[in-house]
Amino acid sequence: MARFMAAWKRTAPWAARNADGAIALGLAIVVGVLGVMPPEIFGAKGTDIQRQLVTASTLVIMALVATALLRDRARQAPVERTITSGALAELPVRLARMEEIETLVHSTRRALDSLQLVRVLGSRQEIAQSHAEARKDTSRWSFKGGTGTYLRAVTLPLCVAAARRDKRHLTVRVEVVDPTNPEVCETYAHYRRSLSDAPDGTGETWTTDRVRKESYATILAAFWHRQRYGLLDIGVGLSSTMTTFRWDVSTTRLIMTVEDPNMAMTALAGTFYYENCDTELRLSFEQARRVPLERYKKVPLGDEPTIEEVQDLFEGIGVPLPKSYNANDVVDIARKALRAVDPYGP
């Protein structure tokens, strides 16, 4: 009895809230019981009486179910109106606001990038990625540094190849140490050796002779590429002073590297640092001794320049090779010009 009362207390509130459903459920149970009972229980006309009871109860159950459905619809109507007229109606407005917020976030990010003076790159991978982004679709490139090894190995060939593929104009300005100036070559070699006596990424150590050959190789590479791509406007300036920095400037960004292969700085076009460094490189190039690249037609170079072609080139442009250089030295310069080893490669 106690269990029955406890069960009743639990079900009574539900039955009160759902009286029509509870009655329908009770009648369904009664109809089910009447349907399975023997007709003889109801007397001589038990079958007719049983059928009438089941039919009447069924109609009552259907009426109660219909009442419950109508009541539920009446309850749901305000909720549906609220959803339809409220949240759903405001959905286009909210989506538009989300798009505005997303646009604002992108604009803010671009603004922060443009306001940022410089960004430090802390690994070879970041530096390589930054160079790749700088080369992408650029129409100009300016370089100022020591001897331009990375420029010969990676930057110049890839920029020229991309420009040739797209059939577009490419302007390149290069400033390296003057190979005919023994003092600046020795100063640069001494600086590089003072940082490390071990071979660099190319497998060579820095000597005065190497500095001289690397600069000669940059001049030779400039002529070689100029002769093979008519839309390349390239200029080379020779500096009598050295710098501890290397600047690479494209249409979209500036990259400044140092001797540490895992450290560099970059700035996007339009920033204060980019614009001022770009101006500095332009003025520095104007003050450097200019290599007469306009004579490129007078000193033709083969796909694999011969010793005589290389010697004639440097004689013809007024940047003669040292008299002490033999055939092996000339071959070494040609190798460095066209098959330079990436100093930052794996």
Side-chain angles (χ1 to χ4, degrees), residues 9-177:
K9 288 181 180 180
R10 288 195 300 269
T11 58
W14 175 87
R17 291 192 302 270
N18 303 276
D20 46 5
I23 294 171
L25 177 61
L27 286 175
I29 295 172
V30 171
V31 170
V33 173
L34 290 175
V36 298
M37 291 178 65
E40 293 78 9
I41 297 177
F42 300 97
K45 298 182 179 181
T47 302
D48 294 336
I49 295 173
Q50 185 182 34
R51 187 181 298 111
Q52 290 175 4
L53 289 174
V54 171
T55 301
S57 300
T58 302
L59 291 175
V60 174
I61 292 172
M62 292 177 65
L64 291 172
V65 171
T67 303
L69 289 174
L70 292 174
R71 183 196 61 188
D72 289 342
R73 287 186 179 182
R75 291 177 178 177
Q76 292 175 1
V79 178
E80 291 178 352
R81 285 195 299 271
T82 302
I83 294 175
T84 304
S85 61
L88 291 179
E90 294 177 0
L91 185 59
V93 178
R94 294 184 179 182
L95 289 175
R97 288 179 181 175
M98 289 179 64
E99 291 180 359
E100 292 177 0
I101 293 172
E102 185 176 357
T103 303
L104 179 61
V105 169
H106 288 305
S107 301
T108 304
R109 183 176 299 169
R110 286 195 299 268
L112 290 174
D113 287 339
S114 63
L115 289 174
Q116 187 179 23
L117 184 61
V118 294
R119 183 165 65 90
V120 176
L121 306 175
S123 68
R124 291 173 183 261
Q125 292 75 20
E126 279 190 295
I127 296 172
Q129 179 63 30
S130 187
H131 272 93
E133 292 173 355
R135 290 191 301 266
K136 185 178 180 181
D137 299 329
T138 188
S139 60
R140 71 180 184 93
W141 195 281
S142 297
F143 171 82
K144 179 180 178 179
T147 60
T149 306
Y150 184 81
L151 177 83
R152 282 180 277 114
V154 180
T155 304
L156 187 56
L158 292 182
C159 285
V160 171
R164 179 181 285 112
R165 182 181 62 249
D166 299 337
K167 297 179 176 59
R168 55 180 168 79
H169 183 267
L170 176 64
T171 301
V172 179
R173 294 292 178 264
V174 180
E175 184 178 345
V176 294
V177 296

Side-chain angles (χ1 to χ4, degrees), residues 23-345:
I23 294 171
L25 177 61
L27 286 175
I29 295 172
V30 171
V31 170
V33 173
L34 290 175
V36 298
M37 291 178 65
E40 293 78 9
I41 297 177
F42 300 97
K45 298 182 179 181
T47 302
D48 294 336
I49 295 173
Q50 185 182 34
R51 187 181 298 111
Q52 290 175 4
L53 289 174
V54 171
T55 301
S57 300
T58 302
L59 291 175
V60 174
I61 292 172
M62 292 177 65
L64 291 172
V65 171
T67 303
L69 289 174
L70 292 174
R71 183 196 61 188
D72 289 342
R73 287 186 179 182
R75 291 177 178 177
Q76 292 175 1
V79 178
E80 291 178 352
R81 285 195 299 271
T82 302
I83 294 175
T84 304
S85 61
L88 291 179
E90 294 177 0
L91 185 59
V93 178
R94 294 184 179 182
L95 289 175
R97 288 179 181 175
M98 289 179 64
E99 291 180 359
E100 292 177 0
I101 293 172
E102 185 176 357
T103 303
L104 179 61
V105 169
H106 288 305
S107 301
T108 304
R109 183 176 299 169
R110 286 195 299 268
L112 290 174
D113 287 339
S114 63
L115 289 174
Q116 187 179 23
L117 184 61
V118 294
R119 183 165 65 90
V120 176
L121 306 175
S123 68
R124 291 173 183 261
Q125 292 75 20
E126 279 190 295
I127 296 172
Q129 179 63 30
S130 187
H131 272 93
E133 292 173 355
R135 290 191 301 266
K136 185 178 180 181
D137 299 329
T138 188
S139 60
R140 71 180 184 93
W141 195 281
S142 297
F143 171 82
K144 179 180 178 179
T147 60
T149 306
Y150 184 81
L151 177 83
R152 282 180 277 114
V154 180
T155 304
L156 187 56
L158 292 182
C159 285
V160 171
R164 179 181 285 112
R165 182 181 62 249
D166 299 337
K167 297 179 176 59
R168 55 180 168 79
H169 183 267
L170 176 64
T171 301
V172 179
R173 294 292 178 264
V174 180
E175 184 178 345
V176 294
V177 296
D178 189 343
T180 64
N181 187 322
E183 289 79 13
V184 69
C185 291
E186 169 57 30
T187 301
Y188 186 74
H190 180 268
Y191 168 72
R192 296 296 297 265
R193 286 196 307 270
S194 67
L195 298 178
S196 175
D197 289 332
D200 61 7
T202 66
E204 299 181 61
T205 57
W206 283 98
T207 63
T208 302
D209 188 58
R210 182 191 171 186
V211 174
R212 185 182 295 119
K213 288 181 178 179
E214 297 282 358
S215 286
Y216 276 124
T218 298
I219 298 171
L220 177 60
F223 273 94
W224 191 88
H225 285 287
R226 178 65 183 88
Q227 291 180 5
R228 278 153 182 79
Y229 187 54
L231 297 180
L232 173 62
D233 175 15
I234 187 169
V236 178
L238 305 178
S239 177
S240 59
T241 59
M242 63 151 284
T243 174
T244 60
F245 298 114
R246 289 186 294 271
W247 287 274
D248 288 277
V249 181
S250 74
T251 307
T252 58
R253 69 178 59 223
L254 157 77
I255 305 168
M256 189 181 73
T257 54
V258 292
E259 300 311 321
D260 186 344
N262 293 305
M263 291 299 295
M265 292 189 297
T266 184
L268 298 179
T271 59
F272 173 82
Y273 192 70
Y274 174 96
E275 297 298 337
N276 281 272
C277 286
D278 190 33
T279 301
E280 172 67 20
L281 265 62
R282 290 174 183 270
L283 293 176
S284 180
F285 183 79
E286 291 178 1
Q287 297 175 66
R289 180 162 76 100
R290 200 71 58 86
V291 175
L293 268 137
E294 64 275 4
R295 301 181 189 176
Y296 70 94
K297 293 183 179 180
K298 299 180 180 180
V299 283
L301 298 168
D303 291 339
E304 296 291 338
T306 64
I307 295 174
E308 292 74 18
E309 288 175 344
V310 175
Q311 290 173 332
D312 292 344
L313 168 68
F314 287 110
E315 286 293 335
I317 63 175
V319 189
L321 296 172
K323 295 181 179 179
S324 60
Y325 275 15
N326 56 30
N328 291 332
D329 294 314
V330 177
V331 170
D332 195 24
I333 292 173
R335 176 185 59 80
K336 290 177 180 293
L338 304 181
R339 293 184 178 84
V341 178
D342 181 359
Y344 305 113

